[in-house]
């Protein structure tokens, strides 16, 4: 137990950063707090954990100070403390972008919580594997973070207890990060698109006039709410008056009302049949999106999302 405490101060600090990063993403909106924990997680810890697994040995200079061990250990690779710190930054800057590219190629709609969680899990596993590798070596050969300035016995016991507590907290924190969605990042995207002759949908080419039947305009609703959501889309044709740069609705006609349940990450595309009776120029064709049911008197004020195009009829 004493041997464990002597050499694991770096692992303890690493798990503190992992817990802090996970908790700050879940519960803290402060940019400063997220930076304090997030920057070490991104630019230092991944490389440090990897080096701990690959090089659990102390540096050659340290081992050669023990003449009796110099011959038996001459083939074991080790890096100095300064080299380990420098390589940790460089390795992290190489690993994290690769992790990001791989993650988002598999999960295009992934959010910050899942990214931080998976990265923290990987770093945590690396730190624990590094501890295991280090403890398999004779004590004089182990790499340990420089803590010789601290009193030995009391510090060892405190580090052992703190390491155990932080490992438990990290497991709980990472589990919460996996289980609890980050509601600050949920949203729904409402778009109006038209279909080109080649079958491609683009957000342009809207018709200038509106006629009875299925409109050339498609409304697409993409669910990023991280849960199955029932949407109601209301389509209105509005006559508006503009005064002092603001528009007010003086008359409107509801043309369609459709609903659908959309799974997380999925897109609902709809092209409801429209039969307008209102005539005139510079009319506003408005699409009002609601979560759940829409009120009888739907408007842009109460809608969750809204968008429009100008048409003549």
């Amino acid at each position: 137990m004493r041997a464990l405490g002597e050499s694991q101060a770096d692992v303890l600090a690493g798990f503190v950063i992992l817990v802090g990063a996970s908790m700050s993403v879940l519960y803290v909106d402060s940019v400063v707090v997220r930076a304090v924990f997030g920057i070490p997680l991104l630019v230092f810890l991944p490389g440090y954990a990897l080096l701990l697994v690959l090089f659990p040995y102390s540096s050659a200079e340290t081992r050669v100070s023990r003449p009796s061990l110099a011959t038996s250990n001459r083939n074991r690779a080790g890096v100095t403390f300064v080299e380990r710190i420098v390589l940790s930054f460089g390795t992290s800057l190489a690993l994290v972008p690769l992790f990001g590219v791989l993650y988002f190629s598999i999960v295009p709609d992934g959010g910050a919580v899942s990214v931080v969680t998976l990265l923290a899990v990987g770093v945590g596993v690396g730190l624990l594997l590094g501890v295991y590798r280090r403890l398999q070596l004779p004590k004089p050969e182990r790499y340990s973070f420089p803590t010789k300035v601290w009193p030995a016995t009391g510090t060892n016991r405190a580090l052992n207890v703190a390491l155990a507590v932080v490992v438990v907290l990290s497991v709980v924190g990472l589990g919460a990060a996996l289980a609890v969605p980050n509601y600050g990042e949920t949203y729904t995207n409402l778009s109006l698109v038209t279909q080109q002759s080649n079958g491609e949908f683009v957000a342009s080419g809207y018709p200038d006039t509106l006629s009875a039947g299925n409109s050339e305009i498609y409304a697409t609703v993409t669910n990023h709410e991280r849960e199955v959501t029932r949407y109601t889309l209301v389509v209105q044709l509005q006559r508006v008056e503009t005064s002092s740069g603001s528009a007010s609705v003086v008359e409107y006609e509801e043309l369609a009302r459709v609903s659908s349940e959309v799974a997380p990450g999925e897109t609902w595309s709809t092209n409801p049949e429209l039969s307008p009776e209102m005539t005139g120029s510079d009319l506003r064709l408005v699409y009002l999106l609601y979560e759940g049911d829409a009120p009888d008197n739907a408007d842009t004020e109460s809608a969750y999302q809204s968008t429009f195009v100008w048409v003549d009829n």
Side-chain angles (χ1 to χ4, degrees), residues 214-229:
N214 289 99
S215 170
E216 299 175 37
I217 301 174
Y218 289 78
T220 63
V221 179
T222 303
N223 179 7
H224 296 285
E225 305 291 343
R226 304 191 183 280
E227 61 181 4
V228 176
T229 304

Side-chain angles (χ1 to χ4, degrees), residues 10 48 52 56-58 81 84 134 141-145:
D10 53 345
Y48 190 85
L52 199 59
Y57 313 103
S58 61
F81 175 70
R84 190 178 295 270
R134 193 156 54 182
E141 298 181 32
R142 298 174 190 165
Y143 159 73
S144 61
F145 196 83

